Amino acid sequence: MRLNFSLSKWQFIAFATGFCLSLPLLFLIFESFQPDKEVFEHLKQTVLWDYTFNTIVLIFGVCLLSCVIALPLAWLCAYSDFPGKKHFEWALMLPLAMPTYIIAYIYTDLFDYAGPIQSWLRAVFGWQSPSDYWFFDIRTLGGAIVMIALVLYPYLFLIFKTALKEQSYKLVQASQVMGYSPVKSFFKVSIPLGRGAIAAALALISMESMADFATVNYFAVSTLTTAVYDTWLGYYSLTAAAKISGIMLLFLFVVIGVEKFSRRNQAVFERGASENNGPLYYLSGKSAWLATAYCALILFAGFVLPILILMSYAVSYFSEAFNSDAFLYAWQSLKIALIVSFVCVALSVLVNFYQRSSLSRWAGVPGKVASTGYALPGTVLAIAVLLPLTALDQQLNIFAESTQWFAEPGLLFSGSIFALMFAYVVRFYAISQGAIESSYARISPSLDMASHSMGVSAGNTLRRVHMPLLKRGMLTAGLIVFIECMKELPAALLLRPFDFETLATYVFQYVSDEQLELASVSALFIVLVGLIPLYLVNNTMEAKASHE
Amino acid sequence: MKKAIALLALLAAGEVAAKDVVNIYSYRQGFLIEPILQEFTKETGIETKVVFAKKGLIEKLKKEGKYTKADMVLTSNFSALLQLEDEGLVQPIKSNVIEKNVPKQFRDDEGNWVALTKRVRNVYSSKERVGKLDTLTYEDLAKPEYKGKICMRSGKHPYNLGLVASMIAHHGEAEARAWLKGLKANLARKPQGNDRAQVKAVKEGLCDVALGNSYYFGKMLNDPKQVPWAESVYINFPNQQDRGSHINVSGAVLTKHGKNTTNALKLIEFMTDNKAQSMYASVNMEYPVKTDVEVSELVASWGKFKEDALPLTKVSEYRPLALKLIDEVKFDL
C-alpha cells in the first residue's frame, strides 16, 4: 500500500541523483561499444576465463567466510550476554577501519618464510630449508579471501546486528517459549527474518571484493579487476577494459537480483526496537567464555594484531615515519570523507523516501541505478568520472571563451577535489542506499498513512516521522561511507589535484615499494581517524538506548 | 551543502598557477626524485609540484586535453615514453644543453622524449647454491637445468615486458614464445612481489636465481633489514659474450599543453646535467645517461658491462606482442 503525496519535487531529486551518479558508468558503457583492435578477443582466447573463475571464487569465498564470522557474532551481541560483550559490540567493527592492502602486507610479512612464525617453527623443529616442511602460502586466492573477509565482515555484523535489534523481541521470545534452543532460534527465526539485511550486506561485500585491487594485486591473484587494469594500462585499450567492466556489471546485476529475490514476500514492519531491554539469553559458564573467546579471536586477527605490528613498525622507524605531513594529509582525508558521507546519506534518504512513497513502478530505479558505481574498480571509476567531467569542463571553457562573461576556468571540475568527491559519492552511494533501504523497510507504512491522513506534507512526514526512526540507519550508513573514504586508494591516486595527498595515497607510495614501515605512522592515522566516528556513533547509540 | 561543494571546487580550482612553478606527473615515487627537485628549486627558485601514481597518469593527461595543469611527465620505463609520444601528448624538447648532455640513442630525434637514467635487467644468483654466472645468457634461463629455481615478478611489469620484447626483437616471435614457455616451466613459484622480494626469496632458499633491476642491489644495502638479502646473492650481467645486457631507461617528456613549458624545460635540462645526473647515480644507484658523469662507487664495484646496442625504439615496437605472448602462455597464472 503506497500513498500519493505530491511527489514531483521528490521525483525530480531521485531521478536526478540516479542520473548524475550513473553518468560515469553510462560513458563507460558507451566506450565499451567502440571497436578495440581485437584485444578483447585475444583475452577471451587466453586468460579471461581464468580471471572470471578467480573472481567468482573470490566473491563466494569472501561471502561465505563473512557469514561464518559475522552472523554468530551479531546474534551473540544482539541477544545474549557474556563477559566483555559491551566492549565487543563496538570493537568488532574496528577491522573495517583497516585498509585491506595494509592487512595483507602485514600478514604476508608475518607468515612469510622469513617471518617470525616460520622462523620459529624452523628453530623448534630444526628444519633447514623450504623443502623440509609444508607451510601454507598466504599469497594465494585463499589467502586473499581470508584477508578481505577479515576486513569486510563488519558490514554484515553491523547490518545484521542492527536488523536483529530492530526485529521484535517478541518473536524470539516466542521461539524461546516454544522450546527452541538458541541455535535453533538463530536458524529458524533470526536468519529468515534478517534475510533482507543479510542479503544487503552480502551484496555490499560482494561488490567490495570484486572491486578490490590492491590486495589481489599484492598476492599476485588475477581477477577481472586486475584484468581491467592490465588491459587498459598494458594493452592501452580503454575499450576492452570497458568490456571487461561490462562482465563485472553482469555480476553486479546478478548480485542485486539475488538480493531482491531474497527479500521477496518479505514485509516485516516493526516499531519494536524500543521495547528491547536487556539480553534474551544469559550465557553461563563454558558457553559464555566460548562466546567471549570467539569474539576475542576475530578481533585479534582483524584488528589488534595488525595494529600492534603497525605500532612496532612505527616505533622502530619513528624518525622516518613521523612527520608533520601526516597531520596535513589526515586533515585533508578527514574533510573529504566528512563531506562525502554527508552527501551520500542525504541523497539516499531522499531517494529512498521517493521510492517508498511513489506509486510508480519505476520508483525503485533511481536507487538501483545510482548504486551501480560500487562495482567499478577504483581506477576504472576514476577514468569513468573523468569522461563526463572533462567533457563538462571543455564545454564550460568553450562557453567562457565565446561569451567572454567570465575568465576561462580551466579544469574546474575534473582538476579539483570535486572530481575526487564526486567519484567517492558514485562509488559509495550503494553503501548508504543499502543501509537506509533496510532501515526504511522496517518502518510500517501505517505511519505514513497516519501522517498523510492528518494532512502532513511529504516533507514534514520525512522530517518528523521518518528521520527519527531512520537515525540509526543514517548513522550506520554515514559511518561506513566515512571509513571507506578514508581507506580508498586507486581513485584517489588518479583524481587528486597537484599538491594534494590523502593518507591512503601517501601510505601507498611506500606500500608499492614494499616499505610500509616508513609510512607506518600515517597508516596508523588512517585507522585512528576511522575510529573517531566509530566511537561517536557508538556513543550516540548507547545514549539513545539508555534514554529509551 | 551543494553551495559548499561548489565553493570548495571554486577554491580548489582558483589556485591559479603561481609565477614560478612546474607541475609534474610522475610515475616515480616522490621520495626518489625529491632530493633532485629540492636542489633544482634551490638553484632556480622554481617551485615543483608532483602528482605521483603508479598507473593511469597518461590516460589522465589524455582526458584533460588542452586544459591540463601538468607541464611534464617523468616515467620509470621506456614504454611509457613512447606511449606518450604515440598518443600525441608531448611537444618537442628543444635545447642545446640537453643535446650536449644526452647521447643520441637516449633521446628522440625530434626531441619528443629524453632518457634520464639507465638501468640493467640483471640476474641475481645465490652465492651459496649457484655462484657467479659470468657467461649466463637470458636464453639460458629457459633451459631444464634451472627447473624450479627461478623467481621473478609479474611478466606484465614494464621491466619484464621490455625484456620479453627484446627477446622477440632478437629471436623472432616463435622462438621468444618457446623461451617464455621454458622460463615459465622453470619458475619456483607464481610470479609475485617486486624485484627486491625476488632477492629475498633467493636468500630464503625458495629459488636460486632471480631477475631484477640493477639499482635494487644498491638500494637493498641501504636498508638494514634488506642487507642480508643483498649479501646472499651475486649480481650478474647476462649476455656479456654476445649482444650485451638488456637495458631500460627512465625519462621525461614535455606535455603538449603545459602552461609552464619554459620552467619544465629548465628542469629537464637540470636533470640531464652533472649535478642531477650524479645524484641519480648516488641516490638511486642508476646509471647516468650523461657519459662523463661517474657512477657511484658502489655501482662501479659491480664492474663494467656491455649494453645491448639494439635501439630502444626497436625493442618497444614488440612490446604489444610481448604482452600478448605473456597472456598466451599464461605466464602469471
Side-chain angles (χ1 to χ4, degrees):
Chain A
M1 163 71 209
R2 292 181 184 242
L3 295 169
N4 209 355
F5 287 116
S6 146
L7 284 171
S8 56
K9 180 170 69 173
W10 308 98
Q11 186 172 12
F12 173 76
I13 292 175
F15 277 91
T17 301
F19 175 73
C20 286
L21 297 194
S22 58
L23 258 186
L25 190 70
L26 293 175
F27 270 81
L28 203 63
I29 290 172
F30 176 76
E31 181 70 47
S32 72
F33 286 107
Q34 308 298 316
D36 78 336
K37 301 184 283 232
E38 291 158 23
V39 172
F40 190 72
E41 244 349 273
H42 170 75
L43 288 171
K44 234 168 53 185
Q45 285 159 11
T46 53
V47 285
L48 196 58
W49 302 116
D50 298 277
Y51 294 163
T52 310
F53 174 78
N54 282 349
T55 304
I56 293 172
V57 172
L58 184 78
I59 292 176
F60 271 99
V62 174
C63 282
L64 195 70
L65 192 55
S66 301
C67 282
V68 170
I69 295 174
L71 294 179
L73 288 179
W75 190 88
L76 283 170
C77 285
Y79 288 154
S80 72
D81 198 17
F82 53 90
K85 174 197 145 168
K86 228 181 81 179
H87 302 295
F88 282 124
E89 206 171 337
W90 63 270
L92 283 166
M93 290 299 302
L94 295 177
L96 196 58
M98 273 279 165
T100 25
Y101 46 92
I102 289 180
I103 252 193
Y105 185 97
I106 287 171
Y107 274 110
T108 305
D109 255 14
L110 197 63
F111 290 122
D112 219 19
Y113 180 83
I117 293 179
Q118 289 201 51
S119 302
W120 178 79
L121 286 172
R122 282 197 301 275
V124 170
F125 295 100
W127 294 322
Q128 295 301 326
S129 75
S131 50
D132 291 347
Y133 64 105
W134 179 90
F135 195 82
F136 68 86
D137 182 7
I138 191 166
R139 285 178 119 152
T140 52
L141 187 52
I145 287 171
V146 176
M147 292 300 111
I148 296 174
L150 268 184
V151 171
L152 293 181
Y153 84 82
Y155 276 149
L156 185 57
F157 172 73
L158 182 68
I159 294 173
F160 187 53
K161 191 182 70 175
T162 310
L164 289 176
K165 287 195 162 179
E166 288 178 1
Q167 269 178 20
S168 170
Y169 267 32
K170 292 192 186 104
L171 290 165
V172 185
Q173 280 163 331
S175 76
Q176 269 179 308
V177 170
M178 288 167 63
Y180 277 27
S181 69
V183 175
K184 192 169 176 188
S185 167
F186 170 73
F187 282 109
K188 292 276 182 200
V189 180
S190 302
I191 288 195
L193 280 176
R195 201 167 68 204
I198 294 173
L202 288 183
L204 290 185
I205 289 173
S206 311
M207 293 189 234
E208 191 75 44
S209 346
M210 184 160 55
D212 172 85
F213 172 76
T215 310
V216 286
N217 185 43
Y218 188 62
F219 281 4
V221 174
S222 301
T223 63
L224 286 173
T225 301
T226 55
V228 168
Y229 277 72
D230 286 346
T231 310
W232 173 44
L233 304 164
Y235 285 102
Y236 306 141
S237 171
L238 181 57
T239 309
K243 284 189 164 80
I244 299 176
S245 307
I247 302 181
M248 297 173 78
L249 274 184
L250 287 181
F251 276 41
L252 172 70
F253 290 135
V254 169
V255 167
I256 291 178
V258 169
E259 188 208 339
K260 264 198 110 59
F261 180 76
S262 72
R263 286 173 187 247
R264 76 199 181 286
N265 312 336
Q266 195 178 28
V268 182
F269 305 116
E270 285 300 341
R271 272 202 57 266
S274 59
E275 300 162 26
N276 299 353
N277 25 23
L280 288 164
Y281 295 93
Y282 285 94
L283 300 178
S284 57
K286 212 178 356 174
S287 53
W289 284 109
L290 261 179
T292 307
Y294 186 55
C295 290
L297 174 77
I298 300 294
L299 182 62
F300 182 75
F303 188 77
V304 178
L305 181 65
I307 278 282
L308 287 176
I309 293 178
L310 266 184
M311 283 177 174
S312 75
Y313 288 162
V315 170
S316 30
Y317 288 82
F318 193 77
S319 54
E320 295 102 326
F322 188 81
N323 51 36
S324 58
D325 288 352
F327 289 97
L328 173 68
Y329 303 145
W331 167 238
Q332 285 174 334
S333 308
L334 189 76
K335 241 182 349 196
I336 289 188
L338 277 174
I339 293 172
V340 171
S341 38
F342 180 86
V343 172
C344 279
V345 172
L347 288 178
S348 45
V349 167
L350 294 170
V351 168
N352 274 294
F353 176 71
Y354 167 73
Q355 197 172 308
R356 176 186 180 85
S357 315
S358 162
L359 294 169
S360 154
R361 343 195 336 229
W362 303 103
V365 170
K368 287 275 175 285
V369 168
S371 301
T372 44
Y374 197 39
L376 290 180
T379 301
V380 181
L381 172 75
I383 290 301
V385 161
L386 282 178
L387 295 169
L389 288 187
T390 44
L392 179 68
D393 279 330
Q394 311 277 13
Q395 290 308 318
L396 203 63
N397 280 291
I398 290 165
F399 181 74
E401 212 175 359
S402 60
T403 59
Q404 297 292 326
W405 288 350
F406 48 92
E408 278 185 46
L411 298 174
L412 181 64
F413 294 105
S414 56
S416 66
I417 50 175
F418 177 85
L420 188 55
M421 293 202 259
F422 179 58
Y424 281 3
V425 173
V426 169
R427 177 137 168 64
F428 299 131
Y429 177 84
I431 298 177
S432 52
Q433 172 72 20
I436 305 283
E437 201 166 3
S438 61
S439 282
Y440 245 135
R442 285 186 291 269
I443 300 177
S444 162
S446 54
L447 289 174
D448 303 37
M449 292 176 211
S451 176
H452 190 54
S453 62
M454 292 178 187
V456 180
S457 69
N460 276 336
T461 303
L462 173 61
R463 252 195 310 278
R464 290 161 56 186
V465 182
H466 293 170
M467 296 274 254
L469 294 170
L470 287 175
K471 207 177 261 168
R472 195 180 275 184
M474 283 162 65
L475 275 172
T476 305
L479 162 77
I480 299 182
V481 173
F482 178 92
I483 290 176
E484 286 287 347
C485 287
M486 289 299 301
K487 296 192 300 184
E488 204 286 337
L489 179 68
L493 278 175
L494 276 184
L495 294 174
R496 75 210 148 104
F498 280 104
D499 263 4
F500 186 93
E501 299 265 5
T502 66
L503 278 176
T505 57
Y506 178 70
V507 169
F508 176 70
Q509 278 195 52
Y510 294 90
V511 173
S512 69
D513 215 33
E514 306 204 6
Q515 293 183 306
L516 173 62
E517 296 83 351
L518 298 179
S520 46
V521 173
S522 304
L524 280 169
F525 262 54
I526 296 183
V527 180
L528 290 178
V529 175
L531 297 188
I532 298 165
L534 209 58
Y535 175 80
L536 289 178
V537 168
N538 186 59
N539 266 9
T540 330
M541 299 256 190
E542 294 297 312
K544 199 169 157 232
S546 63
H547 176 71
E548 283 163 356
Chain B
M1 190 68 243
K2 280 187 186 140
K3 275 184 194 153
I5 291 179
L7 195 69
L8 268 176
L10 274 170
L11 278 176
E15 292 171 14
V16 187
K19 245 218 154 44
D20 268 338
V21 65
V22 51
N23 292 321
I24 307 158
Y25 278 178
S26 172
Y27 277 103
R28 314 205 66 185
Q29 276 107 328
F31 55 80
L32 293 181
I33 48 174
E34 205 53 52
I36 292 171
L37 295 180
Q38 276 170 359
E39 194 58 36
F40 173 71
T41 305
K42 209 165 81 185
E43 279 190 22
T44 60
I46 298 169
E47 294 283 327
T48 55
K49 294 186 174 184
V50 182
V51 167
F52 152 77
K54 280 257 164 182
K55 293 171 188 285
L57 285 174
I58 296 178
E59 286 70 17
K60 183 176 178 176
L61 191 64
K62 201 160 113 185
K63 292 280 168 286
E64 288 170 340
K66 66 176 193 182
Y67 301 106
T68 186
K69 290 195 177 105
D71 304 307
M72 56 186 284
V73 184
L74 289 173
T75 76
S76 58
N77 67 78
F78 186 69
S79 319
L81 291 175
L82 285 191
Q83 194 199 347
L84 283 157
E85 184 187 2
D86 289 346
E87 303 267 11
L89 298 168
V90 303
Q91 57 175 308
I93 298 169
K94 291 200 169 66
S95 149
N96 295 336
V97 178
I98 294 171
E99 279 171 30
K100 196 172 90 258
N101 286 342
V102 182
K104 214 163 148 17
Q105 74 265 35
F106 293 115
R107 51 188 165 80
D108 179 59
D109 297 340
E110 273 96 65
N112 287 323
W113 52 264
V114 57
L116 297 171
T117 61
K118 295 184 284 185
R119 56 280 293 275
V120 186
R121 198 79 186 133
N122 293 97
V123 171
Y124 293 100
S125 56
S126 164
K127 279 181 183 170
E128 207 179 302
R129 297 182 298 280
V130 181
K132 194 113 179 66
L133 299 168
D134 287 327
T135 57
L136 178 90
T137 63
Y138 296 114
E139 289 76 2
D140 291 344
L141 296 176
K143 290 182 177 162
E145 70 211 56
Y146 287 108
K147 189 152 191 65
K149 291 185 176 171
I150 301 175
C151 280
M152 61 188 284
R153 78 192 306 170
S154 160
K156 292 181 177 181
H157 191 279
Y159 302 153
N160 285 335
L161 274 182
L163 177 61
V164 176
S166 92
M167 292 302 278
I168 301 172
H170 287 294
H171 298 293
E173 184 183 342
E175 220 173 301
R177 181 186 292 112
W179 174 76
L180 210 50
K181 276 186 180 152
L183 181 60
K184 179 177 159 58
N186 285 347
L187 292 177
R189 57 177 189 180
K190 202 173 61 166
Q192 56 185 271
N194 61 13
D195 279 356
R196 289 180 217 225
Q198 314 311 318
V199 177
K200 181 181 171 196
V202 173
K203 155 92 175 69
E204 290 165 0
L206 296 168
C207 36
D208 294 347
V209 293
L211 271 165
N213 278 357
S214 50
Y215 50 86
Y216 289 115
F217 196 51
K219 287 185 176 204
M220 284 187 284
L221 293 170
N222 286 345
D223 182 327
K225 196 175 84 178
Q226 298 177 355
V227 169
W229 309 354
E231 286 177 344
S232 73
V233 294
Y234 289 115
I235 182 167
N236 305 288
F237 292 86
N239 297 71
Q240 290 305 294
Q241 272 66 26
D242 49 29
R243 65 176 181 270
S245 301
H246 170 70
I247 55 166
N248 204 320
V249 296
S250 76
V253 302
L254 271 183
T255 60
K256 194 172 181 172
H257 299 293
K259 314 286 178 285
N260 307 298
T261 305
T262 326
N263 292 346
L265 194 59
K266 272 190 196 147
L267 177 55
I268 298 177
E269 283 177 353
F270 178 83
M271 285 178 142
T272 60
D273 231 331
N274 291 20
K275 187 175 257 172
Q277 285 285 303
S278 66
M279 280 174 98
Y280 265 130
S282 57
V283 177
N284 290 344
M285 316 280 172
E286 295 180 64
Y287 292 92
V289 285
K290 193 166 186 296
T291 41
D292 58 344
V293 174
E294 288 296 318
V295 294
S296 76
E297 212 170 304
L298 176 67
V299 176
S301 74
W302 305 336
K304 289 229 181 300
F305 68 98
K306 182 176 168 189
E307 293 173 16
D308 184 345
L310 191 71
L312 287 167
T313 33
K314 192 88 195 120
V315 173
S316 55
E317 277 172 33
Y318 295 103
R319 187 191 160 284
L321 185 56
L323 187 60
K324 277 194 163 167
L325 290 187
I326 282 165
D327 269 343
E328 211 174 290
V329 305
K330 298 192 178 180
F331 195 84
D332 283 352
L333 290 169

